[in-house]
């Protein structure tokens, strides 16, 4: 069975020359988990990224007919436009099992909170025994309409992530070096 205990955050990228930076910050509001309790700041720094972001590899493996429910709250950490999506990722098969629509805060100002993202997925028999991750992937830019406005430096912060109603640890120790 999958769960969020004992795992770590890591960076992801594909087609990018520079890895996105991810570090611990305490600029988060009380979004159900306490003010200034910690958030994961993600800063992407590549103009031609195909996949940039972070992932949280879950402990355990998927079981057929098991359902995973996740809820996450993110906020705008800097005054840069950013758009991203959250995915439930099959790390064994390297594919997306389910993803949320791309998100962007309104207004796009420092501290603006993105809408709460909820995802639920029931694992199939073919996914049993697979490692599962939750991924936050940047989707803005690359000159594609309607995201023609593009800048290589984009930031967002993950305030919290709950897996099956349990908060995932976001602190300095939970980041892979």
């Amino acid at each position: 069975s999958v769960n969020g205990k004992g795992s770590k955050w890591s960076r992801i990228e594909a087609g990018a020359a520079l890895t996105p930076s991810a570090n611990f910050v305490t600029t988060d509001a009380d979004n159900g988990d306490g003010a200034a309790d910690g958030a994961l700041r993600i800063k992407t720094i590549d103009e031609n990224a195909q996949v940039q972001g972070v992932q949280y590899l879950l402990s355990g493996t998927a079981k057929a007919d098991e359902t995973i429910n996740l809820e996450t709250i993110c906020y705008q950490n800097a005054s840069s436009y950013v758009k991203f999506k959250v995915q439930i990722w099959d790390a064994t098969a390297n594919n997306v099992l389910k993803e949320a629509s791309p998100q962007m805060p309104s207004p796009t100002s420092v501290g603006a909170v993105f809408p709460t993202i909820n995802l639920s997925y029931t694992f199939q028999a073919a996914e049993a025994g697979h490692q599962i991750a939750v991924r936050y992937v940047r989707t803005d830019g690359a000159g594609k309409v309607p995201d023609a406005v593009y800048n290589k430096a984009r930031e967002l912060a993950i305030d919290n992530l709950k897996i099956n109603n349990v908060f995932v640890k976001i602190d300095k120790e939970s980041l892979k070096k």
Side-chain angles (χ1 to χ4, degrees):
S1 149
V2 296
N3 64 71
K5 297 179 182 178
S7 293
K8 293 192 183 263
W9 294 91
S10 63
R11 298 168 184 96
I12 55 172
E13 71 168 326
L18 301 169
T19 302
S21 65
N23 62 327
F24 181 73
V25 295
T26 55
T27 55
D28 55 310
D30 182 2
N31 291 308
D33 62 341
D37 66 311
L40 180 60
R41 175 184 162 260
I42 305 161
K43 181 176 183 178
T44 60
I45 50 176
D46 195 302
E47 293 178 356
N48 300 306
Q50 293 173 7
V51 176
Q52 282 191 348
V54 296
Q55 69 180 4
Y56 188 79
L57 189 64
L58 303 178
S59 296
T61 57
K63 290 185 178 178
D65 299 320
E66 174 185 22
T67 299
I68 182 173
N69 297 295
L70 69 89
E71 177 183 311
T72 188
I73 296 177
C74 300
Y75 65 97
Q76 188 82 25
N77 190 61
S79 59
S80 63
Y81 162 96
V82 66
K83 195 172 183 181
F84 74 100
K85 59 187 169 187
V86 177
Q87 302 173 328
I88 298 174
W89 176 259
D90 185 330
T92 302
N94 287 322
N95 67 332
V96 175
L97 299 175
K98 189 160 185 181
E99 68 183 10
S101 299
Q103 300 291 313
M104 189 174 89
S106 180
T108 56
S109 58
V110 177
V113 177
F114 290 82
T116 299
I117 298 168
N118 292 286
L119 274 179
S120 182
Y121 182 77
T122 301
F123 298 111
Q124 307 301 307
E127 296 148 359
H130 290 198
Q131 289 272 198
I132 305 300
V134 176
R135 298 184 356 152
Y136 295 75
V137 180
R138 179 179 165 184
T139 62
D140 60 274
K144 297 177 187 167
V145 175
D147 298 324
V149 176
Y150 189 79
N151 183 301
K152 66 181 181 178
R154 298 292 177 208
E155 292 189 30
L156 82 124
I158 302 166
D159 184 11
N160 62 54
L161 167 63
K162 284 196 279 188
I163 298 176
N164 296 332
N165 258 351
V166 176
F167 282 109
V168 165
K169 190 174 187 178
I170 297 178
D171 63 8
K172 290 179 185 177
E173 290 76 40
S174 66
L175 297 174
K176 281 187 178 178
K177 299 297 178 196

